């Protein structure tokens, strides 16, 4: 069965520091990959997605992710975070009609 | 902009009550989904629907049923609410990417969530 592993459940960083949120997936077929963000008391919002083409994907709010097929990874990065980036981030892989989600990474940006 | 709305943001019900959670999308999406979200467990799929009157079980369907009579509306029903169904419920909708067989889900658009408390 296809699965998604987010390697860190919590990531604390200081404002303006770079951040990387790690995601690994297991799949034996072509994959479509997604990163979502959830701010407190809200639904999930798409940050970016990889369907095909360039392995470096740029998303909203200055985030980007790199698809690495050989390492089955799709890590999310931002070169300089803001307080407003504090949220929970979910990685997901498309499996037929469904998305399989990781358990989430809580990013806390401290002043 | 895609809009997915859910009937309530907060709901408090008593054990044994029948509970209806409604979700409406305005983008003519084929697929609709119901998830529950619990701390440390991420999102777990309860049911999904790929067409009107069609439904498929997700990972945790026990204690739930669904109804999709119109393309834009997908309802989640708790026949007899129990305290272990206290959770955040999220609805989503999406198009399909044609890719053989059923195809694959494209971006899922989420509603704001309903926080259900069962006393």
């Amino acid at each position: 069965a296809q699965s998604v592993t987010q390697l860190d459940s919590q990531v604390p960083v200081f404002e303006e520091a770079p951040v990387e949120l790690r995601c690994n997936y297991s799949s034996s077929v072509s994959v479509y990959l997604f990163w979502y963000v959830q701010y407190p008391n809200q639904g999930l919002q798409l940050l970016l997605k990889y369907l095909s083409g360039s392995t470096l994907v740029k998303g909203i709010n200055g985030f980007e992710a790199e698809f690495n097929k050989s390492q089955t990874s799709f890590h999310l990065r931002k070169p300089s975070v803001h307080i407003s980036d504090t949220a929970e981030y979910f990685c997901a892989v498309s499996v037929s009609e469904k998305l399989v989600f990781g358990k989430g990474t809580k990013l806390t940006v401290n002043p | 902009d895609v809009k997915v709305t859910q009937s309530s943001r907060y709901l408090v019900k008593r054990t044994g009550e029948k509970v209806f959670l409604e979700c409406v999308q305005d983008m003519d999406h084929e697929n609709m989904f119901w998830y529950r979200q619990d701390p440390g467990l991420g999102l777990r799929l309860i049911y999904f629907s790929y067409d009107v009157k069609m439904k498929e079980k997700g990972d945790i369907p026990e204690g739930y049923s669904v109804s999709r009579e119109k393309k834009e509306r997908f309802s989640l029903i708790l026949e007899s609410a129990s305290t272990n169904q206290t959770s955040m419920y999220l609805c989503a909708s999406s198009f399909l990417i044609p890719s053989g067989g059923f195809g694959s889900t494209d971006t899922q658009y989420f509603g704001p969530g309903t926080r259900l408390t069962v006393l």
Side-chain angles (χ1 to χ4, degrees):
Chain A
Q2 281 151 328
S3 64
V4 175
T5 302
Q6 292 185 241
L7 294 151
D8 304 294
S9 60
Q10 299 194 45
V11 173
V13 294
F14 288 109
E15 195 173 18
E16 297 183 7
V19 71
E20 178 180 79
L21 306 183
R22 297 178 293 168
C23 172
N24 285 93
Y25 65 92
S26 66
S27 174
S28 57
V29 297
S30 297
V31 293
Y32 303 124
L33 294 156
F34 303 80
W35 273 101
Y36 283 85
V37 60
Q38 185 179 34
Y39 299 104
N41 296 315
Q42 294 187 27
L44 275 68
Q45 177 184 354
L46 180 73
L47 270 180
L48 50 79
K49 64 182 179 183
Y50 172 79
L51 301 183
S52 65
S54 172
T55 56
L56 184 62
V57 181
K58 293 194 184 295
I60 62 171
N61 301 341
F63 284 93
E64 63 181 32
E66 185 153 19
F67 170 58
N68 188 319
K69 189 174 183 179
S70 62
Q71 297 189 7
T72 59
S73 68
F74 191 54
H75 301 332
L76 181 70
R77 300 185 183 102
K78 186 169 182 178
S80 176
V81 294
H82 303 287
I83 298 282
S84 59
D85 293 322
T86 294
E88 190 158 19
Y89 293 79
F90 292 92
C91 181
V93 62
S94 175
V95 179
S96 298
E97 313 95 325
K98 303 182 287 185
L99 284 182
V100 174
F101 286 87
K103 288 187 166 42
T105 298
K106 285 189 178 172
L107 174 66
T108 303
V109 181
N110 298 300
Chain B
D1 266 0
V2 174
K3 197 156 189 184
V4 179
T5 56
Q6 295 184 227
S7 49
S8 306
R9 289 300 306 273
Y10 300 93
L11 210 51
V12 180
K13 295 292 181 180
R14 295 207 175 274
T15 302
E17 279 193 81
K18 191 168 185 176
V19 181
F20 292 87
L21 303 181
E22 292 216 313
C23 175
V24 179
Q25 52 97 359
D26 66 357
M27 277 300 291
D28 204 34
H29 286 160
E30 298 98 348
N31 292 347
M32 296 189 75
F33 307 82
W34 275 107
Y35 296 90
R36 66 176 282 177
Q37 183 180 18
D38 301 287
L41 298 178
L43 276 76
R44 293 180 291 168
L45 181 64
I46 304 171
Y47 268 97
F48 70 100
S49 168
Y50 53 88
D51 203 350
V52 175
K53 297 193 187 293
M54 306 303 287
K55 61 184 179 184
E56 292 284 340
K57 292 180 180 179
D59 301 315
I60 52 163
E62 296 79 20
Y64 303 94
S65 62
V66 290
S67 172
R68 193 167 181 199
E69 297 296 318
K70 293 186 177 182
K71 191 174 186 179
E72 68 271 18
R73 190 180 297 268
F74 192 35
S75 301
L76 179 70
I77 303 152
L78 288 66
E79 294 289 342
S80 178
S82 63
T83 55
N84 64 13
Q85 292 178 309
T86 291
S87 187
M88 170 72 91
Y89 289 87
L90 292 166
C91 175
S93 68
S94 77
F95 286 123
L96 273 178
I97 306 168
S99 61
F102 269 122
S104 297
T105 183
D106 200 341
T107 304
Q108 290 189 12
Y109 295 89
F110 284 81
T114 295
R115 188 166 293 282
L116 173 67
T117 302
V118 182
L119 302 175

